[in-house]
Amino acid sequence: MAHDASHYLLIPGAVVTPDSREQIALLFAASSRQGVSLTFRSGGTSLSGQAVTSGVLVDTRRNFRQIEVLESGSKVRVQPGATIGQVNVRLAPYGRKLGPDPASAAACTIGGVVANNSSGMSCGTEFNTYKTMDSVVVVLPSGTVIDTAALDADAKLLSTERELYEGLTTLRDRVRDNAESCRTIERQFTLKNTMGYGINSFLDHTSPIDILAHLIIGSEGTLAFVAEATFRTIPVSTHTSTGLLVFERLRDATDALPDLVAAGFATVELLDATSLSVAQADPTARLVLQGLAVRDHAALLVEFQETSGDELADRVGDTAPLLTKLPLALPAVLSSDAPTRAGLWHVRNGLYAAVAGARPSGTTALLEDIAVPVPALADTCEELLRLFERYDYEQSVIFGHAKDGNVHFLLNERFGESERLEHYLRFTEDMVDLVLGNGGTLKAEHGTGRIMAPFVRRQYGDELYEVMKSVKNLFDPRLILNPGVLLSDEPRSHVDHLKEAPAVESEVDRCVECGYCEPVCPSRNLTLTPRQRIVLRREVARAGAAGDEVLVRELEQDYRYEGLDTCAVDGMCQTACPVQINTGDLVKRLRAEHVGKLKQSVWKVAAKHWAGAVTAAGAALNVAAVLPPALVTTASDAARAVGNAETVPRWEEDLPRGGSRRHAADNTGSAAVYFPACVSSMFGPAEGGEGVSTAVRSLCERGGIALSIPDGIKGMCCGMPWRSKGLTEGYQEMRTRVLPELWEASRGGELPVVCDGASCTEGLLQLAESGGPAYAGLRIVDAVAFIDEHLLDRLSVPAKIGSLALHPTCSSTRIGSNAALLRIAARIADEVIVADDWGCCAFAGDRGLLHPELTASATALEAAAIAGRVFDAYASTNRTCELGMTRATGYQYQHLIEVLENTIAGSTPATGTPVSTKRRARR
């Protein structure tokens, strides 16, 4: 918990996870009595050191996540632990969204959004947090709770916090009576500006309660705790058109800004020459810039965002003459085509990943942001490029929100070397002089934090700096909240507590600790997140380098369960990671290092005799089903005690009987090779169901598609059980058996290989990739995608069911079959519900049997989200995921393909009724 996305590191004395305002007030009281500082942390995406402390770290993410949509979506009330992405998902049915749109929306939380006065790509200063927040509920350091929306809020502030009330009134008058202060504030806050406190509140608002509410915005946790915030939302623009305007020179691009802004472009994103060169190395972006020999070029990524097709067409038509007059190096094309737009945005969004991910091991990536008046943007950028050259910052890029005069620049620095620290200090001084000399702000979006706290006085002058110090003393007279952040009189405090990034493992050295992975991690509420797994490896390396062997042993001992045993290795972290790290790859390798020779040998034998192993597993489940449940549970618990929880599964009464054996089938004129997953042979179908294998064959018969099944199918597996456990020898054995058979059965890749379990499809894809060029021609297709493409239009559904609860899986997300999943679901049911809080169930093959606490934690939010009603059917795309969700909800889940076949056949879904009361009571 010491680590966030910034380049600072302090180790907390304690971490607490309160669950109410009342507990926050108790924390304030204890902190005041003992003189211990408090720092609030939620998403941990802050880049400027706002959320690290050596005092008490207060984790507000886990228990403050409520979202309430108000007034048909025109407002939304949110607690600080919910992310922007989660809020926007809840607002989507109303055609609304939050105004702030930072790049970290999937991971950054409302607490951080308020604390940093977040803005983003399109919102500018018009729809940032300051302009769109309607009201706030805060807990002051005194313990007083203030709801600024209450009709008597101003009177309550006066009666309960008279000194604060009168102090704010005095500061308001002091600011307003000073003409120079007014001019400085007006000049500074026409820009995006998160430097220092939001003292524009003293000019924009008159009543102390309104001033208080707006001072809280951007205060970085130094004034109060934000328990709840209510926002005015904005409409979602459903019609967009995007283009990349490439200019010969940076100045040509900046000179075009006034006309482009006047034309109504919602976003105008700047990319310098280095940005374009980096983008050209990315295969996804290469076509956009094909044929361009980058020299001094620059580009503007522009986009119209409108609410109707007619408005968009008018915008595009009106802009055509302007675009033809611009001095462009490539023809300007605006496109509404989704893949084309995605490619264009990949040029912009992939920059951080490309540069940070390619940095040398052991260096720290620094992503900074500034803003200057637009007329000064070209000079500022050109001088920044000269500073990069002077201080040897190679491959540094400049990009950002050009229409706001707001640009980001990324540096790679090696803080472990003392001479580099002095080097960085000199660069910072030159950069500060440059920005302030051009009338700019040193922080536009990322917050003052620790990194710019010593420069607040220089930006605002002595008078307004003293006003800011008075604000801090009024709210927090004991100075217990987040010391060292936002204001500092220590000239070198911005280089105290710098975090080094020691090289540890090739799989994860590119990690910038941003935390984007955390919201999608199934173990996040039980043990560790991917970020935490990585930073703990770095802490082990750091402790080892310091000679602290006791700490190394302690960390490694705890890491076995927290870091390895309870990782689902589902790869969802990679889908959210800006540098494409799959922490599961690290975990698999570390598991392999812990696997003894005996376990490797046993699982290698299992791979050789997999048909018998599958049959034995199914038979064991059949026997267990007829024995007294208490007897079987006791026996499995005893076996786990004698062996260990990482080897022996735990049997529970809700497990099904064993499944049916797989059999080969050779059909002349086959259109596809069918690979029924072995997991459905181990675990039988839901009660009353026939299983996905029967459903796939039946649907293909209905659609006139012949399938063949490989001769050796009884002993074949995708290899996932071995790969996920680090059992390299068994994995090699299965690869040697499966790939040649699939190659032959598919006639050298002529026929697709169709698998009926999403995770098994992903496993086959990985197996084929590991086989090298010899098997590059194998086409592995998930059954959901195959039926969607080849059968869905041929199938007639006589009558839809009313409602369907659908659980996508980590594998269906990673292999890209969720769109097909939703199309099939829409053919089955009038209403399809995917819970806003859905995520990987973490059953992960046998992980849910070895560590049921992991699956229980991973599924809790999704189960709670759909618990308020009963659906006609419950579906997913993998048998073990179905078991995990059945266990979580008490309702039988089936494979979506089985539900489709049942619906076509007119049979009653086996999933729309709860499992037995006895089973639910056990859970």
Side-chain angles (χ1 to χ4, degrees), residues 548-559:
D548 192 344
E549 295 302 322
V550 173
L551 180 56
V552 169
R553 286 194 297 273
E554 183 179 349
L555 290 174
E556 289 182 339
Q557 181 178 358
D558 288 346
Y559 199 83

Side-chain angles (χ1 to χ4, degrees), residues 430-669:
D430 285 348
M431 183 271 292
V432 168
D433 287 343
L434 167 65
V435 174
L436 297 185
N438 284 338
T441 175
L442 298 170
K443 278 295 177 182
E445 294 186 318
H446 298 168
T448 311
R450 295 175 181 276
I451 193 169
M452 284 296 149
F455 302 100
V456 174
R457 183 189 292 271
R458 195 182 305 183
Q459 178 165 321
Y460 286 97
D462 291 341
E463 165 61 14
L464 288 177
Y465 185 72
E466 292 303 319
V467 168
M468 291 185 186
K469 290 180 69 174
S470 297
V471 168
K472 170 67 173 175
N473 290 327
L474 278 173
F475 278 84
D476 181 22
R478 294 181 180 270
L479 305 180
I480 61 173
L481 286 182
N482 219 5
V485 169
L486 199 141
L487 299 179
S488 176
D489 290 325
E490 297 296 327
R492 288 173 61 105
S493 64
H494 59 301
V495 291
D496 291 337
H497 313 296
L498 293 172
K499 176 171 62 183
E500 299 174 26
V504 286
E505 279 104 4
S506 59
E507 298 95 333
V508 298
D509 277 345
R510 291 172 294 126
C511 176
V512 293
E513 301 180 15
C514 65
Y516 287 16
C517 56
E518 294 189 328
V520 299
C521 176
S523 61
R524 66 188 183 277
N525 293 326
L526 179 69
T527 51
L528 299 177
T529 68
R531 167 165 64 181
Q532 292 168 340
R533 286 183 169 89
I534 293 169
V535 300
L536 281 172
R537 297 298 295 171
R538 289 174 174 170
E539 290 294 344
V540 169
R542 188 177 288 111
D548 192 344
E549 295 302 322
V550 173
L551 180 56
V552 169
R553 286 194 297 273
E554 183 179 349
L555 290 174
E556 289 182 339
Q557 181 178 358
D558 288 346
Y559 199 83
R560 184 65 186 267
Y561 174 77
E562 302 260 340
L564 303 185
D565 295 352
T566 52
C567 177
V569 295
D570 60 335
M572 285 296 286
C573 48
Q574 186 178 35
T575 67
C577 176
V579 293
Q580 294 294 295
I581 294 172
N582 184 344
T583 312
D585 290 340
L586 169 65
V587 170
K588 290 167 192 172
R589 184 175 61 75
L590 294 176
R591 285 176 180 170
E593 292 177 0
H594 287 87
V595 173
K597 291 183 178 180
L598 177 60
K599 189 173 182 180
Q600 284 278 18
S601 299
V602 169
W603 277 86
K604 183 176 181 180
V605 170
K608 289 182 177 179
H609 305 283
W610 191 239
V614 171
T615 300
L621 286 169
N622 285 333
V623 171
V626 299
L627 293 175
L631 175 64
V632 184
T633 303
T634 301
S636 76
D637 288 345
R640 285 164 64 84
V642 172
N644 64 71
E646 189 59 19
T647 303
V648 182
R650 188 178 198 277
W651 184 88
E652 294 198 28
E653 190 183 353
D654 56 4
L655 291 176
R657 291 175 175 269
S660 302
R661 295 184 180 183
R662 299 174 292 174
H663 297 283
D666 184 14
N667 288 325
T668 304

Side-chain angles (χ1 to χ4, degrees), residues 114-345:
V114 175
N116 281 354
N117 187 20
S118 288
S119 51
M121 296 274 193
S122 305
C123 72
T125 56
E126 183 182 2
F127 299 117
N128 62 10
T129 308
Y130 185 90
K131 290 293 181 65
T132 59
M133 199 183 78
D134 185 73
S135 63
V136 65
V137 177
V138 297
V139 184
L140 297 172
S142 63
T144 301
V145 178
I146 298 288
D147 181 355
T148 66
L151 295 177
D152 63 345
D154 201 68
K156 181 179 180 180
L157 182 63
L158 175 60
S159 64
T160 59
E161 300 282 342
R162 177 176 290 274
E163 187 174 349
L164 174 59
Y165 186 98
E166 292 177 349
L168 290 175
T169 303
T170 299
L171 288 176
R172 177 199 65 196
D173 296 342
R174 173 178 172 178
V175 170
R176 291 183 175 186
D177 290 344
N178 187 313
E180 181 60 28
S181 291
C182 292
R183 284 193 294 271
T184 299
I185 291 172
E186 289 167 356
R187 183 180 71 252
Q188 290 283 334
F189 287 93
T190 57
L191 303 170
K192 280 186 176 181
N193 183 10
T194 58
M195 190 72 171
Y197 288 115
I199 51 176
N200 51 328
S201 308
F202 291 118
L203 300 186
D204 296 339
H205 302 280
T206 298
S207 71
I209 194 65
D210 288 334
I211 293 171
L212 177 147
H214 289 82
L215 280 171
I216 293 295
I217 300 170
S219 63
E220 302 180 20
T222 63
L223 301 183
F225 170 67
V226 177
E228 189 174 273
T230 300
F231 291 84
R232 297 180 295 276
T233 64
I234 64 174
V236 174
S237 299
T238 53
H239 294 75
T240 55
S241 186
T242 313
L244 187 69
L245 310 181
V246 181
F247 296 82
E248 295 284 355
R249 301 182 307 144
L250 176 64
R251 190 168 294 277
D252 291 338
T254 57
D255 286 347
L257 286 173
D259 288 339
L260 294 171
V261 172
F265 283 104
T267 60
V268 183
E269 294 290 301
L270 173 69
L271 297 89
D272 72 348
T274 306
S275 302
L276 296 176
S277 296
V278 169
Q280 280 187 318
D282 187 330
T284 307
R286 194 173 294 151
L287 289 176
V288 179
L289 300 169
Q290 192 170 24
L292 178 66
V294 178
R295 296 182 300 276
D296 299 322
H297 294 83
L300 297 174
L301 180 65
V302 296
E303 183 169 273
F304 284 125
Q305 299 174 358
E306 306 298 335
T307 56
S308 74
D310 289 342
E311 289 175 334
L312 180 63
D314 289 343
R315 287 284 195 194
V316 172
D318 292 343
T319 309
L322 168 63
L323 297 183
T324 60
K325 295 178 182 178
L326 295 177
L328 299 177
L330 295 175
V333 178
L334 298 179
S335 176
S336 296
D337 175 67
T340 301
R341 290 185 57 250
L344 290 170
W345 275 108

